Amino acid sequence: MTSAAAPAHPHSDSGFTRIRRNFRAWRHTRPFWAGLLVLLAAAPIIYFPYFNLSLGALSVAMSTTAGAGSLVIGLTLIVLGGLLWFQPVIRFFAGCVAVFLGVLSLPISNFGGFFAGTLLAATGGLLALAWGPVDGPAQDIPDDTVTASATDDRQGGRGSE
């Protein structure tokens, strides 16, 4: 018996590897990191207005009148993050709204979740605006292929005096 017919990596097609490759392929077709940052931005924006901290007998309550506004902004950011993942066509709209809501959360939600939510929403929104789909493999154009007008211009023909 020889090992010539044995596969080089016997576990390369395992379930985990296949799932990881499928996830990587899915992730590369959409603004994944933008959606993740927008989703993470919602957490501090929603959490801090309802935050209660107990230090022994001292109770610190961060409850404000802007709790409903913070909840609406946070839930909208969660929806936008999901849309960036599952509907990448609307990345421009979702990116603009995420940046706007991140800045809007500064006065409404305790400085945008103490600036953490604002920074995450703005970064995720700008990543969504900057992301573009990959156009498939680029076709190589030979360097010696030149159009007739470009050849005439270089050689002094047609219109050059």
Side-chain angles (χ1 to χ4, degrees):
M1 278 195 9
T2 64
S3 63
H9 301 285
H11 301 291
S12 64
D13 290 340
S14 67
F16 177 73
T17 303
R18 189 172 5 96
I19 290 170
R20 185 178 57 86
R21 285 184 185 157
N22 289 341
F23 177 68
R24 181 184 296 169
W26 177 82
R27 190 184 70 204
H28 286 294
T29 61
R30 57 204 70 243
F32 176 77
W33 295 110
L36 182 66
L37 290 177
V38 171
L39 279 170
L40 291 176
I45 291 174
I46 290 175
Y47 179 71
F48 286 125
Y50 300 105
F51 179 62
N52 290 323
L53 176 66
S54 297
L55 300 172
L58 179 65
S59 179
V60 179
M62 294 290 293
S63 299
T64 63
T65 58
S70 299
L71 187 64
V72 168
I73 289 173
L75 291 177
T76 307
L77 285 172
I78 290 172
V79 169
L80 289 174
L83 286 175
L84 283 170
W85 280 354
F86 299 111
Q87 294 292 326
V89 173
I90 64 161
R91 69 186 182 278
F92 187 78
F93 170 75
C96 289
V97 173
V99 170
F100 175 73
L101 289 176
V103 172
L104 183 66
S105 71
L106 281 171
I108 291 180
S109 176
N110 295 331
F111 297 112
F114 298 116
F115 298 109
T118 298
L119 291 175
L120 287 171
T123 305
L126 291 174
L127 281 174
L129 290 172
W131 183 83
V134 178
D135 291 335
Q139 296 179 359
D140 292 311
I141 299 173
D143 292 336
D144 58 355
T145 306
V146 180
T147 62
S149 63
T151 305
D152 289 339
D153 290 342
R154 275 192 270 156
Q155 294 176 352
R158 266 199 256 163
S160 64
E161 304 190 37

